[in-house]
Amino acid sequence: MSSINDLVLTNASMVTMAPGANGYTVSAPCNIGIKQGRIDTLSQAPIKAHSSFNCQGKLVTPGFIDSHTHLIFAGSRADEFEQRLNGVPYQQIAQQGGGILSTVRATRDASEAQLTELALPRLDGLIRTGVTSVEVKSGYGLTLDDEIKMLRAAKALETHRKIRVTTTLLAAHALPPEFTGRGDAYIDYVCQTIIPLVAEEKLATSVDVFCESIGFNLKQTEKVFQAAIQHGLKVKGHTEQLSNLGGSALTAQYSGLSVDHIEYLDQAGVEALANSSTVATLLPGAFYFLKEKQQPPIELLRQYQVPMAIATDLNPGTSPFADLTMMMNMGCTLFGLTPEETLRGVTCHAAQALGFGNSRGQIQPKFDADLAIWEVSHPAEFSYFQGAPRLSARLVAGELDYV
Ligand code: DI6
Ligand code: FE
């Protein structure tokens, strides 16, 4: 095999996000050799390649990873936003058949192609903030066919844009109207019908549960996790968002990829995470939009060295934001994270939250050549100034995409 690389990026000021102290520092201008979609060589010396791209000293980071989105949905919830501003709480809107269920109705009415089409402008928002990998959940279909439709619509995004999509089955997001008062029966349907088919058709790699008083209880969550694992799927949880049910510790017990939201996580929950490889995913957009007052236990997570990811939770009800760097800004201003922590949260730790900790989210030989090239001078800029686009190009699997 030839040792010549397919592409070399020259003059790259790298922020590699490799573990250890140097990951967040800006390297001297360097060459990045890329072969077969992967990073092959990092060198100050010239690298032989079939083509080259001069980064002109610009900052190069791993492509950003949005590890928690509900990108696929139809309809709008601007009306509920207005209701909430007139004093109606989110839980009450949900109990009256609004909230998640209003999006379920609109999503069931849409075709797969329409769902993909509706998601593209949102995806473009994420792409403009450096995203090269995005996780997309189902959860607004809540029938076998509609959940499958959502997952296929999500995967189809890859045919419209240079992007990597990871799909998560979130059939246990809300109780569909057909099952009112029969939560356990719906969970049986999810475990016995939806999970086996989704696994067989390889439509998702993980399964998520909304473990909450307005979602599913701990016992139901555990049933879903067991079915997922039995079918070779990973698990993750929407846990401790509005109350503390112990869903995070349960997720850790099942070697979950991540626990997400976690405003109400307590010390026992943090200890459970510390004894696992489960990532703590912070979603400041939902915290901000719901005007939540309870802060996630950042200091404890630091103390126990639990890796923290940060994601948009992009969804029509609680986090209508298609902007990942804005979430980094909110992570700093609302949760007191440092710009370094937020950058880890959208690169190496986000990769771990998707099960790609050894292949994405860092600039290292053998890692996927998913990169972002920026018009910024220091990595703190990502969390700092918002709204003025600073991305100059992205690479996904070694393929350049200009913006
Ligand atoms: N937690 C959330 O923040 C979203 N889902 C969830 O389980 C909300 C989704 C929605 O309101 O449409
Ligand atoms: Fe969510």
Side-chain angles (χ1 to χ4, degrees):
M1 222 171 64
S2 132
S3 66
I4 299 178
N5 281 188
D6 301 327
L7 171 69
V8 60
L9 302 186
T10 60
N11 241 324
S13 302
M14 300 188 302
V15 180
T16 66
M17 303 317 285
N22 288 334
Y24 183 67
T25 53
V26 182
S27 78
C30 183
N31 301 311
I32 305 176
I34 293 164
K35 202 197 282 182
Q36 291 175 342
R38 300 232 170 93
I39 297 167
D40 185 79
T41 318
L42 301 176
S43 174
Q44 234 101 53
I47 295 172
K48 272 194 187 157
H50 295 295
S51 65
S52 79
F53 178 83
N54 189 341
C55 297
Q56 298 169 323
K58 288 177 191 166
L59 213 67
V60 180
T61 64
F64 288 0
I65 298 169
D66 192 350
S67 61
H68 180 144
T69 84
H70 308 251
L71 193 57
I72 295 288
F73 63 85
S76 161
R77 304 248 290 277
D79 53 341
E80 288 175 13
F81 177 49
E82 245 177 342
Q83 277 186 48
R84 280 206 294 117
L85 287 167
N86 286 310
V88 188
Y90 178 63
Q91 277 100 327
Q92 193 181 322
I93 293 171
Q95 277 151 11
Q96 289 166 348
I100 293 175
L101 289 184
S102 88
T103 303
V104 170
R105 284 189 293 274
T107 304
R108 285 181 177 178
D109 284 345
S111 69
E112 183 189 317
Q114 282 170 331
L115 289 174
T116 303
E117 205 57 40
L118 286 168
L120 285 173
R122 301 168 202 141
L123 178 61
D124 287 336
L126 296 179
I127 285 174
R128 274 195 292 275
T129 55
V131 171
T132 53
S133 285
V134 63
E135 186 255 19
V136 183
K137 301 175 195 296
S138 66
Y140 293 122
L142 313 182
T143 67
L144 174 65
D145 288 350
D146 290 306
E147 289 290 293
I148 285 180
K149 178 178 74 181
M150 284 190 74
L151 294 169
R152 291 211 167 108
K155 260 300 176 199
L157 292 167
E158 289 181 335
T159 63
H160 294 266
R161 297 289 186 274
K162 277 198 172 56
I163 188 79
R164 297 191 199 254
V165 174
T166 297
T167 44
T168 298
L169 176 71
L170 178 58
H173 191 198
L175 195 59
E178 309 80 58
F179 281 87
T180 302
R182 298 189 295 129
D184 287 337
Y186 179 63
I187 290 299
D188 285 344
Y189 171 63
V190 171
C191 294
Q192 290 161 21
T193 305
I194 303 185
I195 289 175
L197 252 130
V198 164
E200 194 182 307
E201 304 266 324
K202 298 197 184 339
L203 290 168
T205 46
S206 61
V207 174
D208 195 343
V209 180
F210 187 26
C211 180
E212 190 54 67
S213 49
I214 58 165
F216 297 94
N217 65 34
L218 212 54
K219 218 170 139 208
Q220 294 167 330
T221 302
E222 184 160 25
K223 265 189 141 175
V224 174
F225 284 177
Q226 285 171 345
I229 285 164
Q230 200 192 323
H231 288 89
L233 301 172
K234 294 272 189 193
V235 302
K236 52 172 56 202
H238 278 73
T239 54
E240 273 72 72
Q241 179 185 7
L242 307 166
S243 61
N244 183 357
L245 296 190
S248 301
L250 181 76
T251 310
Q253 192 189 316
Y254 281 86
S255 305
L257 289 168
S258 67
V259 291
D260 302 35
H261 287 291
I262 58 169
E263 281 86 343
Y264 287 81
L265 185 67
D266 60 11
Q267 175 142 1
V270 174
E271 283 173 10
L273 297 182
N275 292 321
S276 73
S277 59
T278 306
V279 172
T281 299
L282 304 167
L283 305 171
F287 175 94
Y288 160 84
F289 198 67
L290 293 175
K291 294 183 161 187
E292 178 60 61
K293 295 283 181 295
Q294 175 81 23
Q295 288 267 341
I298 303 295
E299 204 41 59
L300 271 177
L301 291 165
R302 279 184 187 135
Q303 212 177 303
Y304 282 86
Q305 297 183 352
V306 176
M308 291 181 272
I310 195 152
T312 60
D313 194 17
L314 188 165
N315 78 72
T318 65
S319 193
F321 304 110
D323 186 325
L324 189 55
T325 57
M326 178 71 88
M327 300 304 116
M328 297 167 75
N329 174 278
M330 288 185 185
C332 295
T333 56
L334 301 176
F335 295 162
L337 295 173
T338 65
E340 175 171 357
E341 285 171 325
T342 62
L343 191 54
R344 292 201 186 279
V346 300
T347 56
C348 49
H349 292 162
Q352 191 181 333
L354 295 187
F356 297 121
N358 294 320
S359 58
R360 293 187 207 166
Q362 297 177 41
I363 303 181
Q364 295 275 25
K366 302 207 169 60
F367 275 60
D368 288 331
D370 295 0
L371 301 165
I373 305 171
W374 302 91
E375 307 266 2
V376 309
S377 53
H378 187 276
E381 300 272 351
F382 299 122
S383 297
Y384 168 63
F385 211 98
Q386 302 302 312
R390 299 154 299 176
L391 182 73
S392 67
R394 295 180 316 140
L395 280 93
V396 180
E399 286 186 32
L400 264 165
D401 194 22
Y402 299 90
V403 281

